[in-house]
Amino acid sequence: MPANKYALLRYRILDRCIGNKQRPFPDKEALRQACEDELYGSSEERISLSTIEKDMYAMRNESNLGYYAPIAYSKSYKGYFYENPDYTIDTMPLSDEDVAAIHLAASTLRQFRGIPLFKSSEAAIDKILDRLSLHPSRGDAELEQYVQFETAPSYRGGEFLPVLLECIQNRKVVQFDYEKYTGGKSRKYTLYPYLLKEYRNRWYIIGMNPDKHDIATFGLDRIMAAPVALNETFEVSSAFDTNLYFKHSIGITSVQEFPQRIHLRFTPLSGKYVESQPLHQSQKIIRNGEVALEVELFLSVTKELVMQILSYGSDVEVKAPESLRKQITLTLERTMKQYGVSVIEK
């Protein structure tokens, strides 16, 4: 890859680091390390501090880039920040060369639609093709007067994907500092990484925790610094099957209990949405009439499934199993009590 392409990648990494509100005021060494980790991982390639200095100068001043990034240095915090906290180079309009390159990439992606291997990526491919088909010569600012695309909220952790994928592919043990939502301080974890999974615009790493000899899931947004690939390899447990681990669950939770037949009854209007966009690949319509839509799912009961059902409010009723019906009932009763509504026993 030509040097200028590497520079463009570094600009993106620097932009994310400087604009990261969860880890503000990175110093020059932190920026250098972030670029090095993301671009080269555990290889021998190195990035110098002078390269980072030149990159930031280019982002501030280079008219060919057009960023004019408001990068400033805080003496108090001894790190860099954007004087405009909402600034990001991601909002910059694309050049003609950029648009041409995206059109070429889109033409390539179009060839993969319908191929089973890329089935899970078709929604992303369609979104790219849709955006390019809508006045591709116009900039985003003009396009957004007429069309609004769904935008995923930004979150930290995506920059760790390359090194984690490399560790999975090469069976390398990985180590990282992780802070749970329920805990105060971060702690160091060692993991045999098996699988990367995306759920609701967030990425998770699933693997074997050798300390507990159990499968564990970690959200990338809670990994506090770049994961380190250790000079140690592992063998994937024969008990873990990538294709089966999440087959009978919604979300990122996989439970060991057997999946169950789940019978849901939707009002006609919500039923049309559920029919057009199934809750799960196992969904089967067992009754579709003017009064209601009834579907059957073959799933394990997870927290994500319960939250999905609750999101439909009074538009859904759990008909079976009885244990899930009781779980939903208790949750709704607790919710009513929070709002000061008395629950009348029948």
Side-chain angles (χ1 to χ4, degrees), residues 278-313:
L279 301 177
H280 187 260
Q281 61 186 7
S282 66
Q283 177 174 306
K284 292 181 180 178
I285 296 176
I286 56 178
R287 187 172 292 108
N288 191 358
E290 295 182 1
V291 178
L293 172 81
E294 297 187 36
V295 301
E296 187 178 77
L297 306 163
F298 190 57
L299 289 171
S300 299
V301 176
T302 63
K303 181 179 180 180
E304 291 92 334
L305 172 62
V306 172
M307 292 174 66
Q308 184 90 308
I309 293 172
L310 290 171
S311 71
Y312 285 94

Side-chain angles (χ1 to χ4, degrees), residues 164 167-168 171-176 189-195 205-211 213-216 218 230 232-237 240:
L164 291 173
C167 289
I168 292 173
R171 306 285 171 84
K172 289 184 178 180
V173 180
V174 67
Q175 199 171 66
F176 49 80
Y189 285 87
T190 300
L191 187 72
Y192 300 169
Y194 291 171
L195 177 68
I205 182 76
I206 298 95
M208 174 68 71
N209 182 339
D211 295 330
H213 301 286
D214 197 9
I215 301 296
F218 298 89
L230 303 181
E232 181 183 347
T233 59
F234 66 90
E235 292 294 327
V236 177
S237 170
F240 184 88

Side-chain angles (χ1 to χ4, degrees), residues 199-250:
Y199 178 64
R200 293 193 172 180
N201 301 310
R202 291 180 182 272
W203 282 99
Y204 299 82
I205 182 76
I206 298 95
M208 174 68 71
N209 182 339
D211 295 330
K212 295 185 177 181
H213 301 286
D214 197 9
I215 301 296
T217 300
F218 298 89
L220 268 59
D221 59 314
R222 280 158 277 165
I223 296 178
M224 306 311 294
V228 177
L230 303 181
N231 189 24
E232 181 183 347
T233 59
F234 66 90
E235 292 294 327
V236 177
S237 170
S238 58
F240 184 88
D241 189 323
T242 300
N243 297 318
L244 297 178
Y245 192 68
F246 290 108
K247 182 177 181 180
H248 299 299
S249 65
I250 286 178

